[in-house]
Amino acid sequence: MQLRNSSSRYGWVSIFLHWGVALAVVGLFALGLWMVGLDYYSTWRKDAPDLHKSIGLTLFAIMLLRLLWRFVNPPPPAPTSHGRLTRLGASFGHGFLYLSLFAVMIAGYLISTADGVGIPVFGLFEVPALVSGLPDQADTAGVIHLCLAWAVVIFSGLHALAALKHHFIDRDVTLARMLGRKA
């Protein structure tokens, strides 16, 4: 398989970034839901949020890399069988996923830095608190983070359903290309 995207399929870098981000988003969502239910005496009460933040900041860096890769290595064009509305919907959907992913991660950063303390990343280094002390910063960012996390997961599910629809009903190459198969 080729490294870069071609006119007929995605390269392995795009495929790895796509599925890696998908896995991280599902994992972060599950971890987030689980950790907010932990009680005060749980041994994971501190470790789960630290892990969530570390993975979230790593995902932020990967998303920046993914955006750069998409800019220097554009995806293959939509299949010719896709009408104008389908192409427009795909563009909107991908744009929404990118924007909402960045927004949910920025909101998470604002929750974590509200008290002016940086965020340790896997104990290797610390991301400084550049923005802190805004009125109700943690609470406002927390509501935004939660709502956007649900929006990302729901929309990602719709994205997956659309890919399955293209594969099984339309019988086109949309999903096959993201699995590394040639159109």
Side-chain angles (χ1 to χ4, degrees):
M1 180 188 306
Q2 74 245 9
L3 178 70
R4 298 177 59 88
N5 299 336
S6 71
S7 62
S8 61
R9 66 179 170 184
Y10 289 92
W12 73 265
V13 173
S14 294
I15 293 169
F16 176 77
L17 290 171
H18 175 271
W19 294 108
V21 166
L23 182 63
V25 166
V26 170
L28 281 167
F29 186 75
L31 178 59
L33 284 179
W34 175 72
M35 73 182 191
V36 296
L38 295 174
D39 66 21
Y40 182 78
Y41 299 103
S42 173
T43 56
W44 280 94
R45 184 165 173 80
K46 179 172 176 358
D47 292 340
D50 287 347
L51 180 62
H52 186 83
K53 293 174 200 177
S54 292
I55 295 170
L57 286 167
T58 303
L59 180 60
F60 185 80
I62 290 169
M63 282 299 297
L64 289 174
L65 176 65
R66 185 174 182 194
L67 198 58
L68 176 66
W69 183 253
R70 187 177 176 101
F71 179 72
V72 299
N73 187 44
T80 55
S81 62
H82 290 185
R84 183 177 180 276
L85 211 52
T86 301
R87 291 174 195 212
L88 188 63
S91 293
F92 168 78
H94 288 112
F96 177 79
L97 282 171
Y98 274 85
L99 286 174
S100 59
L101 266 172
F102 278 114
V104 76
M105 291 183 286
I106 291 167
Y109 171 82
L110 292 173
I111 296 166
S112 301
T113 59
D115 59 1
V117 177
I119 306 168
V121 180
F122 298 114
L124 301 172
F125 61 92
E126 186 173 286
V127 174
L130 301 174
V131 180
S132 62
L134 299 174
D136 298 319
Q137 179 175 332
D139 291 337
T140 303
V143 169
I144 293 168
H145 187 72
L146 177 64
C147 291
L148 284 176
W150 275 102
V152 165
V153 167
I154 290 168
F155 205 81
S156 295
L158 293 173
H159 175 71
L161 287 173
L164 292 172
K165 180 245 183 210
H166 281 288
H167 189 73
F168 291 110
I169 296 172
D170 299 342
R171 300 204 182 275
D172 67 26
V173 297
T174 303
L175 180 58
R177 294 189 316 173
M178 189 44 79
L179 294 172
R181 298 194 183 112
K182 194 170 185 170

